[in-house]
Amino acid sequence: MRRFLTGLLLGLASMYWYAYEKDAFFMEVKNWFAWASHDPGVKQEKVFTTKR
């Protein structure tokens, strides 16, 4: 029973994260990579593309 409840809570938490926090997480990762790989002398290119 303890395993079932733990799995249920983890499943609900992962569904919540996927539905509501995934986009914000990926945007922050994209911004971090853009900041970390920024070179002032290089023409800016898009590393990640987003379809909207």
Side-chain angles (χ1 to χ4, degrees), residues 7-25:
L8 182 66
L9 289 176
L10 284 174
L12 290 174
S14 65
M15 287 191 305
Y16 171 81
W17 179 84
Y18 187 79
Y20 296 107
E21 302 294 331
K22 178 185 64 142
D23 291 334
F25 173 75

Side-chain angles (χ1 to χ4, degrees), residues 2-43:
R2 186 179 287 173
R3 279 188 188 173
F4 172 76
L5 291 176
T6 303
L8 182 66
L9 289 176
L10 284 174
L12 290 174
S14 65
M15 287 191 305
Y16 171 81
W17 179 84
Y18 187 79
Y20 296 107
E21 302 294 331
K22 178 185 64 142
D23 291 334
F25 173 75
F26 285 128
M27 290 298 287
E28 286 299 319
V29 169
K30 181 187 82 163
N31 290 340
W32 183 85
F33 273 112
W35 174 80
S37 63
H38 179 67
D39 187 0
V42 177
K43 186 176 83 173

